[in-house]
Amino acid sequence: MQNEEFIQDFKDEASGHLETVEKGLLAYDSGDYGPDVIHDIFRAVHSIKGTAGFFGLNHIVKLSHAMEHLFDRVRKQALTIHGDMITCLLAAADFLKEMVANAERSDSMDIAELLVQIAVFESGTNEAAKAADTGPKISEAKASAQAPEKPPEIAAADGPLPAPASSQPADMVAVRERDSTKNTGTHDESPEAEYTGAGDPDAEEAAGESESKSRLVARASDDTVRVHVSLLNDLLNITSEMVLGRNQLLSTLRGYRKTIPGLNGVLQNMNRLTTELQGKILLTRMQPVDRIFSKFPRVIRELSKKLGKSVELEIEGADVEMDKSLIELLGDPLTHLVRNAVDHGLELPGERERLGKPRTGKIRLKAYHEGGQVNIEIADDGAGIHFEKIEASAIRKQLLTKQEAARMGERDLLALLFAPGFSTAAEVTDVSGRGVGLDVVKVNVEKLGGAVDIMTKPGEGTTFRLTLPLTVAIIPALIVSACGQNFALPQVNLHKMIRIKPGDPERKIDRLMGRQVLRYGDKLLPLIRLSEVLGIEGREEAGEAADRVQRVLVLKSGYKKYGLFVDGILDDEEILVKPLPRLLGECVCYSGVTILGDGHTAMILDTEGIARKAGLRFTDEKVPEAVSGDDQVPLSEAQKLMLFGCSGPETFCVDLSLIARVEKIVPSQIEEVGDKEFVQIRGQAIRVIRPERYLPVQEAPPSGSHMYVLVPKLVKHPIGLLIHYIRDTVETDIRFNRDDIIGKGLVGSAILKGRLTLLLNLYELFEMAAPEFYEYTVEPISEKRTLLLVEDTPFFSRLEKSYLESAGYRVLTAVNGKEAWQLLGEHEVDAIVSDIQMPVMDGLELVKRVRAHKGLAGLPVIAVTSYADGPAKQIAMEAGFDFYEHKLDKGRLLDTVQAALGKGREAG
Amino acid sequence: MSGKLLTFRIAGQLYGIDITTVKEINRKIHVTSVPDTPAYVIGLMNMRGQIVTLLDLTKLMDAPVRGVDKPPTGTCVILKNKPGELDFIGFAIDELGSVVEGDDAPGEPPPAHLKGEFLRFIHGIRAWKQELILVLEPSAIYNP
């Protein structure tokens, strides 16, 4: 029916107008308003009335009419807006909103009470309003106490009104009042007649109606077009299908690139256009975060009244845009965090004053772009979070033991706030708390592919930061297989991948009451098998294949972690998430469905659901992992890493400090000599290698019009790495485990930017590619020498250790000077290889202590650093180091160690 | 009902469905089976970027007809969508029949000695040439 369409237009338009009204009223409330605000409000209400009249929505007309009338008096300065009036008008605007949303049955909704309230305020004189407004905003009791002085006047002005109605500061009172008004019966019957009698701006009535109609027309001719979201969804579908078509076309025609002239250009152009089209279509779904931010002034206003706190809200970056679906889903988590900040974060005004802070607390909502993601911060300048309180509360709730607590750092304690069933507030208030905790916020944000961080300073405030992707529609996923079927696992749920080789004592799968568990850090990780959970029969009983390498994905959902056996890990793909089809029944294991690059569908796994289906209960798993061993090194130096890809789907990275330069080349520049490939760069032929040929990863036929050559620093015989594309650079303190994907040429793997990334061991790679240049032969050592390696960065520590061990040394490791000093007391060491910049105790301090110690003074100490030369070297040598070497130059480092040991022997 | 029926055969039985409810007939399709779903779900397929849930009609209806089990032919009938629905529904057939002209009458009601839950999937029964066509009720397929 066409009428329905018009009504939908009216609904859209009216909610826009109501937003104007709400914003305007809140501007009045904060005292920060311009002269035009009242006109905007008036016009907005007037338009609603006009269009509603057109549809014969009588109650909407009546209520908006009453509001309009009041605003008109304010406009003509016959009335001043004040606190109680705003509360009442906001309530009226809310009710209008509800009526508009349910326009079809709006006439059955009861508006009598609101009409009475509005009438009361309207009939008040300017003086009354002023008198009410003089009191401080928070102490409403005063304002209402003064009002009763006026009843005779009001009664005179508006006849049938019961006097007590004038003192209605809050909704609670209003509810009680409703019955008495009803009993009088007057307002239910003919409120309209009453108001028209009171000097209505009826002249504008007609004008208003035509205005709202012409506005509908005006909107259509504007620069914007209204498009239904379902059309955008269709477009998105078709585009992603087109991307698939493009890929098929490219692979079909690959062989003909040389035989058909001009084909290459056409394909490339098509390639580029399709990618661009997809990007643009995603853009059409973007909306400003203002859509959620704009409701917070209201939320804060109500909260501050309820809690007796004075709060100021500051909003920044309301124009930052995100995908529509994301914005819709963000509302609840954000509201929770804002309520939390007002309730738990900010102190009471008196308390603030005592602390020398302004009485009014500040909440700051800020959205900004960072590295292809959107960050949203909710900051308060309140009391901050007290670590002792978290600790005490966690122990009381038996979430952790005293011993565990003692080992935990501040970050880990903060992380406890997200554990299920945790709340630091002394008592549960109805504002925040009550069932929904921060754990729900965290799980919800993670479902959207985001993360939550907390930063806090006792006495200064707390900031929650949500990091979110720009769109939810496309997420990075890992394609895994079980019994020959493929599934997509969102990378955000992936904590780690572990390969378990048969007979590896470090990684042994234990059986416990018929269940498999893995010793993981100091915890037991429950292991489940994807094929079993899904009930698909394997072609072979993979579980008992003890002689095979097994793959376990460590998954996380909130604070739950478990291991999932899969048969294969296939690919790394950006997938378009589609909702679950209707007829699939109740399958908790899936969160959606997608179409993979090969055109086949694949189910998207839901880690939470799989855990539920498998019957995993995490009653004692609430506590996040304690800091342990070399898993997590606090305060380590941040590294700059470059992420890139080769022909296969894997993402690799190298430390940027290892790279001298990056050259862009076209594939035709690669010349082959024998089985080796060379590229001329600035007149010099450099041998290039393709990492994928030496590593346990996939190799795909070449694609793309150019490639890059990474030329490393500090190698005697330069070899370039031939890569296909550069993904990103990140600065991070990388955290990886000693036992994930390890192969020759790899340092390890880590999750960077939501992707599983393999860290290359460049020198090992070069050794594999050109053993004649790089094999480092060590002179036979009669006795095994022990070196103490002091290095805070896990990446370098692992790399240097591998260099030293490859030369036959026994290596002890420490993460800072303090730990090294302890080890020196416990072990016999032949030489120390130490980084200079480290937390807790740096290398300079360490070497000073060594030199000052009677028994150790002669010990050779080698400084290793990532800065080749400069004044740092001078300082290091003065502090007592014997040698100064670049930590990544394997050959020279080993030469130096040997020289140092020789020296040590002479000295000893 | 336009009166035209699209006929097809599943497990030996001849069925018909109002041709206006059919979106398309698809052949040589790749179906991904989905574990942990009801038995009547054969799997999902990709129809130009749209997801189609493919059903086994005999299992869905729990029909007592048991014909010769033929190997799947890969042909399926995909039904039209109601507005607002994002994914499609289809069912596998063994053999495509012809389009049968008919009158607007629903045909005969199912005979009295046919019993069972599956009757709600049957719109009516129509005699055609030497055979009987079970005319399907599309709304029942949408809401099994």
Side-chain angles (χ1 to χ4, degrees), chain A residues 233-234 237 241 244 485 487 534 536 578-579 581-585 587-590 593 595 599-601 603 613, chain B residues 30 32-38 40-41 44-46 48-51 53 55 81 85-87 89 141-142 144:
Chain A
N233 288 340
D234 288 350
N237 268 335
E241 197 60 12
L244 278 179
Q485 293 199 32
F487 299 91
L534 295 179
I536 35 179
K578 290 168 182 285
R582 292 160 283 163
L583 287 187
L584 288 192
C587 37
V588 292
C589 299
Y590 312 118
V593 57
I595 297 173
H600 299 165
T601 59
M603 303 307 291
K613 179 90 193 289
Chain B
H30 183 281
T32 310
S33 65
V34 185
D36 195 30
T37 47
Y40 56 75
V41 174
L44 301 179
M45 55 176 274
N46 169 14
R48 298 181 300 283
Q50 312 269 17
I51 303 284
T53 309
L55 306 175
N81 242 357
E85 289 171 346
L86 290 171
D87 58 306
I89 290 174
I141 301 175
Y142 277 104

Side-chain angles (χ1 to χ4, degrees), chain A residues 59 63 95 99 105-115 178 182 188:
Chain A
H59 277 202
L63 185 56
F95 201 75
M99 285 204 290
R105 49 182 197 87
S106 63
D107 278 1
S108 62
M109 292 169 147
D110 185 7
I111 54 170
E113 172 208 325
L114 282 165
L115 289 175
R178 185 199 315 245
K182 259 195 185 157
D188 273 327

